[in-house]
Amino acid sequence: MKRLFSLLSLMLVLLTSCENTQESGETTLTILSESLMEFDFRGGKGMVLFEVKNPKTDVTLTVSANGATWISDIKSNDSVASFVVERNGGTDERVAILTIAYGELIQEVAVRQGVRSEGEYDYDVTATIFGGEYLSLETSDNYNYYVQVGTGEINEKNDIPNATYYYFDLYSKFRGGDHPILPNGTYTLDNTEKFPIGTFSAKYSKAHINNEFGEPDTEFAIVAGTLSVTDNRFEAVLNMADGTIHRVVFEGELHVPYALSYPTPDISTTLTEDLIFEHNGAIMRLFYYGDYYECGYDYWRVALMETTNPINGDYFQIDIITDALNEGANEDNVVGEYVACSDLDIKPNSFLAGVMEGAAYINSWRLVVEDDYIINGNGRVPMTTGSVKIEKEGSGFLITIDSMDDANHKVKGTFSCGGVELYDRSKR
């Protein structure tokens, strides 16, 4: 029993001795983390561990980034200081010093952040699904493709759990036809809402990542970007409003399902019998576009008017492709004979056959005009087959049309044009 009391007394003495040491010992501040903390361009949350021995009741610990605005949300308690490093969108790495002060005691930790390496993205997505809608000319003067790519099934709500979806509202000079394939080319983001060729609109393009319930959990607004479309390959590099950069790639057929609001009629002509005509003293307007269709040949639009000032009667618009390239806006360059071909498979020495897609009248058509206004619906006749011959006739031209519409009616006759107007649209 005496031995037990002796042990207890010794423990009390040692305990009292330790307490006296703590009370009378020197106050110290020690950093337990690395002296250099490194972050990549994405930034993130950092923590510094430290220890204060023999703390004082009248001293408060402070943490400062010394004016480095890219370090924020600094917080601390008795043993940890936390902070957030913002994204580095610049081209130079940056360094800051975190100062941890406890009264007159000061310790420092360096924070260094790198920059983005070439080809490094916040999100690098390999899409497994490609689809969307082809809207033709319903929404603008240019062909509209509304493309969706992602890592989950495309449905009405795109609500597959944990899937990522990207949406692109694209505009092209090329028609899709019955099996629309997204046209090759480069498309850049457009903020004007004018929907020009070779762009995708900021207003209707976006991205989101779904949570485990199939609901959009993280959404992105696109502020800049470029799409590259080649045969069976789609690649987009996008700058988002939150500062992240995304790349999304899909490889496979770039088919955009046909989804026009207005169904294309089986027969679009308004003729009920053959159309035979002969117009003398007519006017021809020529519009030169150069290699507009990127097919290696010049494209012209030929407008033939029965009368002008005002325009009345028959009005033909005929789109022709010559067998030369960049010959320039010279009226002699339209002389030749042209046979019908599809704008989906352009040939030299051809005229582009008239087609109707949804509610749009495309390529070569005969129209009817009253006092400079095209009569909607009545008199519209597609030139689907046959030939168009353009010859010089004195100082004017003779145009001979021998064609058929889509109901096998003849569209046949001549325009003798004494007056010619020429417009160069190739520089637009």
Side-chain angles (χ1 to χ4, degrees), residues 293-367:
Y293 283 108
E294 302 170 26
C295 61
Y297 305 104
D298 283 342
Y299 160 60
W300 292 78
R301 169 157 286 185
V302 179
L304 304 173
M305 293 160 284
E306 184 178 346
T307 66
T308 58
N309 300 319
I311 301 173
N312 276 299
D314 281 344
Y315 181 105
F316 279 73
Q317 64 176 38
I318 305 173
D319 293 350
I320 66 171
I321 305 293
T322 70
D323 60 357
L325 177 63
N326 297 326
E327 281 199 323
N330 185 318
E331 64 183 39
D332 291 338
N333 294 335
V334 300
V335 172
E337 187 165 359
Y338 307 93
V339 296
C341 81
S342 169
D343 60 346
L344 303 179
D345 185 22
I346 293 176
K347 308 291 186 184
N349 289 321
S350 64
F351 74 88
L352 303 182
V355 295
M356 190 171 186
E357 195 169 74
Y361 301 88
I362 300 167
N363 300 327
S364 302
W365 284 73
R366 177 264 195 167
L367 311 169

Side-chain angles (χ1 to χ4, degrees), residues 62-111:
T62 63
V63 183
S64 170
N66 298 297
T69 58
W70 48 277
I71 297 180
S72 62
D73 200 23
I74 299 173
K75 300 176 182 177
S76 64
N77 57 28
D78 292 338
S79 60
V80 178
S82 65
F83 58 95
V84 173
V85 175
E86 307 295 338
R87 292 175 53 83
N88 185 0
T91 57
D92 298 318
E93 74 169 27
R94 50 195 184 185
V95 177
I97 300 297
L98 271 181
T99 299
I100 301 175
Y102 188 78
E104 296 181 353
L105 302 176
I106 294 176
Q107 294 288 346
E108 294 181 337
V109 173
V111 178

